[in-house]
Amino acid sequence: MARLSSRPFPPYQFLPGKTLHPEKEGGYLYGHKLSFQKLKDDFLQNEDFCYSLDLMEANFFWEAHVYLEGLWNQVRKEKEKSDQAIFLQSLILLNAAGVKFLLQSFEAAQAHRQRALELISSVSHVPNFNLQKITKWMEDYDFKRPASFPLGPH
């Protein structure tokens, strides 16, 4: 899978109850405050969004959710129920499903995936993305072997 970002991956994957929380003393984010690049219409021009996709494809689901949530909080301040905000929220939920899957909480993983699909089905337009392809990608997503995010409008 081709990387979209040049940022390095974290030194370990955070799994609640299994590994040290990255923001706790000794964690790789301890003492660091993350800031997020302003999200414009073309998500693929945003380094944080691209990094979140890289993280997701490498099974760093919790870490991907952190970046997506930072962008989502930014977007929803402007317009909470915008297509962009709902789109980001659906990706956050898919990453939450990934965390649950890795924790072997399969019913919870499926519930999060289902909620992500419900959300994305309500999105009518996000510039430069084919929402039908992304919905199919979410439906078929294999948490053991993540597939590349479907890029582009076609």
Side-chain angles (χ1 to χ4, degrees), residues 8-25:
F9 287 129
Y12 61 89
Q13 174 191 63
F14 174 62
L15 289 172
K18 306 273 185 195
T19 57
L20 177 66
H21 192 288
E23 296 171 342
K24 299 280 186 197
E25 188 171 346

Side-chain angles (χ1 to χ4, degrees), residues 31-89:
H32 298 283
K33 176 146 175 57
L34 294 176
S35 60
F36 303 96
Q37 183 184 21
K38 176 91 170 118
L39 189 61
K40 298 190 168 59
D41 280 344
D42 187 353
F43 283 26
L44 295 175
Q45 296 301 312
N46 183 285
E47 181 73 13
D48 295 320
F49 182 78
C50 289
Y51 186 52
S52 73
L53 295 181
D54 286 343
L55 289 165
M56 187 174 183
E57 289 179 11
N59 284 5
F60 286 94
F61 298 116
W62 182 87
E63 293 76 6
H65 118 274
V66 168
Y67 284 87
L68 290 166
E69 193 169 89
L71 296 171
W72 175 66
N73 283 323
Q74 188 187 103
V75 169
R76 71 187 185 119
K77 283 180 185 173
E78 294 173 18
K79 189 173 179 195
E80 186 161 354
K81 297 295 180 187
S82 71
D83 279 347
Q84 287 183 333
I86 296 168
F87 174 71
L88 289 168
Q89 190 177 15

